[in-house]
Amino acid sequence: MEMLWLTAWMAFPLRITPLLHRQAENTSFPVFCFPLQIIGSRACHKALFIRLAESKVLSTTNDKSAVVISAKIVLRLLGWQLEKKKETITESAGRQQKKKIERQEEKLKNNNRDLSMVRMKSMFAIGFCFTALMGMFNSIFDGRVVAKLPFIPLSYIQGLSHRNLLGEDYTDCSFIFLYILCTMSIRQNIQKMLGLAPSRAATKQAGGFLGPPPQAGKFS
Amino acid sequence: MSGARRREEPPHAQQHALANGGGAGPRGSVWGKALRSDSAWHDKDEFLDVIYWFRQIIAVILGVIWGVVPLKGFVGIAIFCLINAGVLYLYFSSFRQIDEEEYGGTWELTKEGFMTSFALFLVVWIIFYTAIHYD
């Protein structure tokens, strides 16, 4: 089922290429096609991560938005929780407790392996979609002025906004600048609308990800 | 145990949302609560989501106006930033009168969704400006 998703979304940009060519002749707005790639890649993400949820990796949280990107973070937190439990366990805790921890470690290892497999597939699909679409946009819009900026960008942004364009008029906008702005705005909003954005707690944990979380007890 | 507690929270919060917002359904009740100054927010994330979406709406509206007028240059960007931050600050401090410390301080509320709204504002501004004032 997931491979069907991936194939469908990979084929989608190839089908709309002729439409884009016709569109590009009349207008210079590539904006409408960017969300399609974004939705497609995120839909693949969601399908694959739902499979991960079924393997009970994500049963510790009911937060729907944690499904997509927070799976890795959840597993990492479970790992920390387990480490903490191992530290607090004493010699007198008994064989049963130790066996229980070993079983949990084994389960965590398996889930981490599953997560890596799923993420690899999804990253491969997203990379392929991205490369295909960028190649297509390059061939259509390279060297063309796609929009006029109502302001003159700062000098270090001009390298992006005036990329491969002739002349010294820095209000000319290249497609890559508009694409990046669309990615930052439309993609984030679509993620939030569809419930695929990571939760704020997960984002904060990811921000302090190099060390153990300050409140590991939150998940105990 | 915390997993069970977390599983209980959303239905509980939803019940509160329904109780506060009336019979308009969960989504309608959230926006109903957002527009009333006397309602309470039991789920902090819900209020932060309202701030986020208000920012996006302001970005779209200002992008359209700036593109149509047209307003050019960094003055436009500066005025957008002031209006975006100012309107939301007035909303959560004067209209809603919430305790900012509960949400991590004024800065946390100010930066909630700001970059996304800024990018959306630029996209809308550029598109409308190009479409209306340039062939």
Side-chain angles (χ1 to χ4, degrees), chain A residues 6-55:
Chain A
L6 295 174
T7 319
W9 282 109
M10 276 182 227
F12 194 78
L14 299 173
R15 276 185 301 165
I16 64 168
T17 303
L19 283 173
L20 284 174
H21 271 289
R22 272 200 293 276
Q23 188 75 23
E25 278 161 20
N26 299 327
T27 175
S28 55
F29 295 150
V31 171
F32 71 95
C33 45
F34 299 155
L36 297 172
Q37 175 215 355
I38 292 153
I39 294 172
S41 66
R42 286 299 164 196
C44 293
H45 248 133
K46 189 170 182 185
L48 293 167
F49 276 98
I50 284 169
R51 191 172 169 188
L52 194 64
E54 284 167 9
S55 67

Side-chain angles (χ1 to χ4, degrees), chain A residues 28-29 31 59-63 145-154 169 172-173 177-178 180-182 184-186 188-190 192-193 199-201 204 217-220, chain B residues 1-3 5-8 10-11 27 44-46 48-49 52-53 56 71-74 77 103 108 112 115-116 118-123 125-131 134:
Chain A
S28 55
F29 295 150
V31 171
S59 61
T60 54
T61 173
N62 200 27
D63 186 0
V145 176
V146 302
K148 267 302 214 182
L149 299 175
F151 56 92
I152 297 177
L154 298 170
D169 184 2
D172 289 339
C173 180
F177 184 61
L178 202 53
I180 289 168
L181 287 178
C182 290
M184 285 169 63
S185 57
I186 301 173
Q188 304 272 24
N189 286 326
I190 290 177
K192 208 149 172 90
M193 245 187 284
S199 64
R200 286 183 187 85
K204 274 186 186 159
K218 197 176 170 184
F219 284 87
S220 61
Chain B
M1 184 174 295
S2 68
R5 238 184 288 137
R6 279 176 72 95
R7 275 191 284 274
E8 277 172 22
R27 199 179 289 275
K44 286 179 191 159
D45 272 355
E46 219 173 43
L48 289 173
D49 284 345
Y52 178 93
W53 288 113
Q56 310 312 308
L71 191 56
K72 293 197 261 187
F74 276 103
I77 296 174
Y103 294 91
E108 287 296 322
E112 178 68 28
M115 281 315 294
T116 311
F118 182 62
L120 185 61
F121 159 75
L122 285 178
V123 168
W125 187 21
I126 291 169
I127 289 175
F128 273 83
Y129 176 77
T130 308
Y134 216 75

